[in-house]
Structure formats: structure tokens, C-alpha cells
Amino acid sequence: MKNTVSIIGSGFSSLAASCYLAKAGYEVTIFEKNATIGGRARQLIKDGFTFDIGPTWYWMPDVFERFFSDFNKKPSDYYILEKLNPAYSVYFGKNDYITIEDTLEKIYNAFEEEEKGSSQKLKKFINIAKSNYDIAIKDLVYNPGVSPLELVTPATIKKLNQFFSTIKKDVRKEFKNERLVKILEFPVLFLGAKPSDTPSFYSFMNYADFGLGTFHPKKGMYQVILGIESLAKELGVNIKTNAPIENIIVDNGSAKGITSKGKNYYSDIVVSGADYHHTETLLEKPLRQYSENYWNKKTFAPSSLLFYVGFDKKLKNVNHHTLFFDVDFDVHAEAIYDNPKWPENPLFYASFPSITDSNSAPEGKEAGIFLIPLAPGIEDTPELRETYFNKIIKRFEVLTSQNVQNHVIFKESFCLNDFINDYNSYKGNAYGMANTLLQTAFLRPKLKSKKVNNLYFTGQLTVPGPGVPPSLISGKLVSDLVIKHQS
């Protein structure tokens, strides 16, 4: 008889794990609390507009290719990818922006135009970033975080100093132009920590940005979820939606299944891709590995205030991805990490998928997604959301020289309370646990429970960390561990 697996949640890591385990011969059932699959990567469809609720950036295409190739498939079997040009633009003031295009050569030229001599410095920086990328993505991140020795390879020993310096130090040592500094520090925000707390080695994110580029799956990131769902179903995975979990069944120190809506579903193995902290609350206290104090002391990646806006006209002076860095980043970062509160003047990001993709909005209209990074665990009220929408939309109008407030058909918001309600997210965080030096690899919460046999975890609070590509990798890592321990 086949071994059975219950998987909690249907985000990227859970779906990936389900595919690997089904391929290895396990009978897999996914339990998703919401009405649709995808976890944080769900979709909002309203009045002919389509929005990705969660991730909007498609970076590191090689990780997606590696995932699908493990099943003798390719991404193009499931969705159509388009490389964006420009990748994004960054506003620093009124009609004052730098555009990052789709090749290194164009980006070198943009830097040189901004500051003479900076293109040579950038080439040197990107060469190191590429070397780090090759080590990290082809090797390190596919380790299960079981031992410190995973980080000790001939390649990493040569780069030891990069684990004890920071992105901020490295960038500012070479570049004096504040605008270029901000562009180079931006990608590590995907790792969920300040550049001053992120080890230099993570410059591989700059290679992911400049060297590999930014892509858009036609019809949005949700197509990737649907693609992996199709693969999972081809492999025999069973998916139950509207199936919240009340309890993990433990007998004699081993996980024996889950309880959903009062009904017990027994299985040989339980894998949770739900929030790690929340998953442990489904166990009796003595069976939890990590205390409330442990979680409270960790550095979490930000939460977000998001707006999904339908405009009745096409917008100008913006690209598919547009960043607004016209205020002090350090002051906003302090309000996220050091002294958690609502930022006075927030940086924000906007995405207009309908610039690239006609499926996102009715003809002649624009779909806009606005995101403000916030500290997890702070107050969230409708009044605060409205105040901050007005703040950023007024700045948006000034910076891009256009009137948009009178052209809003509708807006929907999503913030801390929604992350908690929809995803059981710890303190309403959006991206998981930050990748700081003391929260890297074997120093993150473990993929396998130390207290309950046959209970495993996957996703952004465990190895390798936050982001969509790491989530796919996390699904592979946990399935490898399951297969190893059951064989």
C-alpha cells in the first residue's frame, strides 16, 4: 500500500512538495483553508480587472525551469513568459526617474549616464554577484538546513568575508551616487531585511535583477500556480479547498493525520506549508519546538498594505513595475525594523500589469497594484488604510504629473488583518522570516519537527527563505527529507 501524505496549505512550497512526493509514489492530499488554491499567490477578479493578490515579480527563471525539468516538463508547457523591457523604473522626484532595461549593457549605460565611471564599478560588482548566484542557486540553497557544514564548501570558504560584511557596506564602498545606491540596495528587500543587516553574499539578488531580468507570465503570476496545480493533478495529487485545519493528530509521538471541519483524515506523514508558527499551535504545547519568545525575538520580513485599483483610463509616465524612492529609505526602514509603527512618509511600489497584459483590464482602462511595506504586528484599521492610500496617491500624481484620483473606479485593500485572517500569518507578516546572518540556512526553523515524528514544514519561515523561487526549492527540500526518512 502507498504511503499517504496530508499537506496543509496550497502555496508554492506546498504545491511543489506535493508534486515531488506524488512522483516518488506517495498518495498526496492537499488541504487548503481558502476557496481557491495558491496561498498568498491568489487572484482578485473584479469588474473585468484581474490582479495578482500576492507576488507580482517573476525573477530567477532558472529555478522555475529546474523545478519543471524535474518532471520532464518546461514552464512553457503551462504558461507563457514575457521578458519585460523596461524591467522597472525608479522615481526619485517629480518627472525624475531611472529606468532599468532588459540587458546588462543597457543597465551599464544607464549607470554611466547617472555617474561617470560607475559602469566599470557596476561590472565588477555584477561579476561578484554572478559568482555568488552560481554558488547559491546551483548549490547552497538546495541544502536542507540540517547542518552548518552545508555552508562550508571550497567555493564559500573563498568568500567567507562576504558572510561578515553587508550589502550596504559593499555598495556604499563603491558607489557614492545616492540614487544608484538605492537601486542596488533594492533587490535585497525581497529577502526581507535591511541592506545593513543582509550579508554581502546575498548580492546574488543583484545578478538575479540585472543579469537575468524581470519576466511576466501572461495572465499574471496566478498562471504559475495553475500550472503547478495541473502538474500536481497529472501526478495524482488530490486537492481539497475550503478545508481549514483545526488539529494535527499525534499518537505515540508521531503525526497521524489532520482534523478539518471536525473530521479526521489519517495519513502516514503530515507536511505543513502553512505559517510555521500557526502550524505549531495545532499541536499541544509540549509538542511545539519553538516558544512564543523564540518567534518574538526573530527578525520578520515586512508586512504590506496593498491596494488593487481599477482606473477608468490608461496611465502615463509609469512602467509595468514602478518604484517610488522619493523619500528617505532609512527612516521608513526604521519604522519597519527598529521602532515598529506606521511610517510618516513611506516608500511604495506600484505595478500596472495591464501595460503589458491586456487580460488584466478592460480596453482603455488600467489595473494598478500599490504596495507599502509595513512592520508586522502594528495596528491595522480601515481609517489608517484610507489615510495611506490618500498619501501615496497624491504623491503618485505629483511625481508622475497626472491626475488619477478622479479616475478610480474601485479600490480593494489588503493589510495585516487580512494576512492573519486569510493565511494565519504570524503578526500579519507578508514575506516570512528575514534572511539575516543569524537567520540563514541551518539557523532557520527546521524542515523536520524535532518533537513529532513524520511531521514536516515547508515555506517561507523555514529553509531556504522568503520569495517565490525559494518556496519552490523549499518544497523540493522537504520532499527529499520525507523520502530519505521513510526509505
Side-chain angles (χ1 to χ4, degrees):
M1 204 172 102
K2 282 183 175 180
N3 272 1
T4 52
V5 184
S6 300
I7 297 183
I8 305 172
S10 66
F12 279 105
S13 58
S14 293
L15 286 171
S18 78
C19 293
Y20 285 109
L21 289 168
K23 182 190 171 193
Y26 291 81
E27 192 177 300
V28 183
T29 304
I30 288 175
F31 295 83
E32 167 55 54
K33 81 185 277 282
N34 293 310
T36 56
I37 65 158
R40 283 163 164 75
R42 292 180 302 151
Q43 217 176 27
L44 169 66
I45 298 171
K46 181 169 179 170
D47 299 349
F49 292 82
T50 302
F51 305 89
D52 283 311
I53 290 178
T56 54
W57 295 78
Y58 190 106
W59 271 10
M60 304 187 186
D62 49 325
V63 174
F64 295 86
E65 284 158 17
R66 183 165 168 176
F67 168 76
F68 283 107
S69 73
D70 284 343
F71 305 91
N72 296 316
K73 301 283 186 182
K74 356 185 242 305
S76 57
D77 293 332
Y78 298 99
Y79 53 89
I80 298 161
L81 266 190
E82 180 179 345
K83 190 172 190 184
L84 294 180
N85 186 32
Y88 57 90
S89 53
V90 185
Y91 267 87
F92 298 99
K94 184 175 179 179
N95 302 324
D96 176 16
Y97 55 88
I98 293 176
T99 299
I100 299 300
E101 293 190 71
D102 61 341
T103 68
L104 274 170
E105 217 42 59
K106 292 175 189 171
I107 297 166
Y108 294 144
N109 291 339
F111 268 58
E112 192 64 26
E113 210 169 289
E114 181 65 27
E115 183 185 14
K116 211 153 183 54
S118 64
S119 61
Q120 289 309 312
K121 291 175 185 173
L122 182 59
K123 280 176 189 171
K124 188 174 135 193
F125 185 80
I126 290 296
N127 284 339
I128 295 167
K130 182 184 187 307
S131 159
N132 290 352
Y133 189 88
D134 290 341
I135 294 165
I137 303 304
K138 291 175 184 167
D139 188 8
L140 287 189
V141 295
Y142 285 91
N143 284 317
V146 173
S147 158
L149 296 176
E150 292 170 2
L151 294 177
V152 183
T153 69
T156 56
I157 287 167
K158 286 179 190 164
K159 292 178 177 280
L160 200 58
N161 63 320
Q162 288 196 42
F163 287 91
F164 297 99
S165 185
T166 68
I167 291 286
K168 183 169 184 170
K169 273 186 197 161
D170 283 14
V171 168
R172 287 168 189 268
K173 191 168 69 187
E174 293 293 336
F175 298 89
K176 301 298 172 240
N177 181 298
E178 200 54 39
R179 292 143 64 97
L180 298 183
V181 163
K182 283 181 177 176
I183 289 172
L184 287 168
E185 288 182 347
F186 145 68
V188 302
L189 299 180
F190 284 104
L191 301 169
K194 291 190 293 187
S196 57
D197 290 335
T198 304
S200 304
F201 184 72
Y202 284 103
S203 68
F204 66 72
M205 292 297 291
N206 294 100
Y207 179 71
D209 177 3
F210 290 175
L212 297 175
T214 303
F215 294 78
H216 174 73
K218 194 171 182 190
K219 298 189 181 176
M221 284 293 282
Y222 197 64
Q223 295 307 304
V224 187
I225 288 287
L226 294 178
I228 303 174
E229 178 196 31
S230 294
L231 173 61
K233 286 183 171 173
E234 287 165 34
L235 293 162
V237 175
N238 181 26
I239 300 175
K240 292 180 185 292
T241 52
N242 294 308
I245 307 302
E246 288 110 44
N247 176 49
I248 294 172
I249 303 163
V250 179
D251 184 29
N252 241 351
S254 289
K256 297 290 184 186
I258 50 92
T259 307
S260 176
K261 292 184 172 174
K263 184 179 175 185
N264 289 344
Y265 295 85
Y266 293 97
S267 60
D268 302 303
I269 293 140
V270 175
V271 176
S272 179
D275 179 274
Y276 203 125
H277 169 271
H278 169 72
T279 303
E280 290 222 311
T281 68
L282 302 174
L283 298 163
E284 290 175 13
K285 266 194 174 167
L287 300 176
R288 299 174 194 173
Q289 307 166 88
Y290 305 107
S291 66
E292 285 300 315
N293 193 35
Y294 169 90
W295 293 111
N296 207 34
K297 283 181 173 173
K298 292 294 162 192
T299 302
F300 271 78
S303 187
S304 301
L305 168 56
L306 290 135
F307 294 101
Y308 311 99
V309 188
F311 294 100
D312 68 7
K313 66 170 186 177
K314 299 301 284 181
L315 303 191
K316 58 184 188 179
N317 302 331
V318 287
N319 287 313
H320 183 126
H321 296 298
T322 309
L323 300 156
F324 294 86
F325 285 2
D326 55 308
V327 298
D328 192 319
F329 168 79
D330 290 333
V331 174
H332 186 164
E334 194 181 306
I336 296 173
Y337 297 102
D338 307 324
N339 179 22
K341 61 180 180 181
W342 283 80
E344 190 59 39
N345 293 306
L347 288 82
F348 66 97
Y349 151 70
S351 172
F352 303 97
S354 43
I355 288 174
T356 304
D357 196 333
S358 59
N359 296 286
S360 298
E363 196 173 341
K365 297 178 180 172
E366 204 85 270
I369 301 166
F370 295 82
L371 181 154
I372 302 172
L374 293 175
I378 58 175
E379 183 187 19
D380 169 19
T381 65
E383 293 75 21
L384 278 165
R385 295 186 189 196
E386 191 61 27
T387 298
Y388 276 79
F389 181 76
N390 292 329
K391 271 191 188 213
I392 62 168
I393 216 72
K394 280 175 186 156
R395 264 173 51 210
F396 179 84
E397 288 187 321
V398 171
L399 294 166
T400 63
S401 299
Q402 63 190 314
N403 176 284
V404 297
Q405 283 193 81
N406 302 335
H407 296 275
V408 172
I409 304 167
F410 66 83
K411 72 172 187 295
E412 299 276 341
S413 66
F414 200 95
C415 197
L416 280 87
N417 292 343
D418 303 297
F419 282 103
I420 292 166
N421 294 335
D422 288 8
Y423 312 128
N424 297 308
S425 168
Y426 179 70
K427 291 187 176 179
N429 83 81
Y431 305 106
M433 193 185 282
N435 262 336
T436 59
L437 180 61
L438 296 177
Q439 294 182 175
T440 291
F442 67 97
L443 296 170
R444 296 178 74 78
K446 301 297 182 198
L447 289 163
K448 185 179 189 302
S449 172
K450 295 176 283 192
K451 293 198 174 180
V452 180
N453 292 327
N454 299 335
L455 174 60
Y456 298 82
F457 301 84
T458 186
Q460 56 189 17
L461 291 189
T462 179
V463 182
V468 175
S471 292
L472 286 180
I473 294 166
S474 190
K476 175 174 170 54
L477 294 177
V478 78
S479 58
D480 287 347
L481 272 192
V482 169
I483 294 161
K484 181 182 166 190
H485 286 120
Q486 302 303 314
S487 60

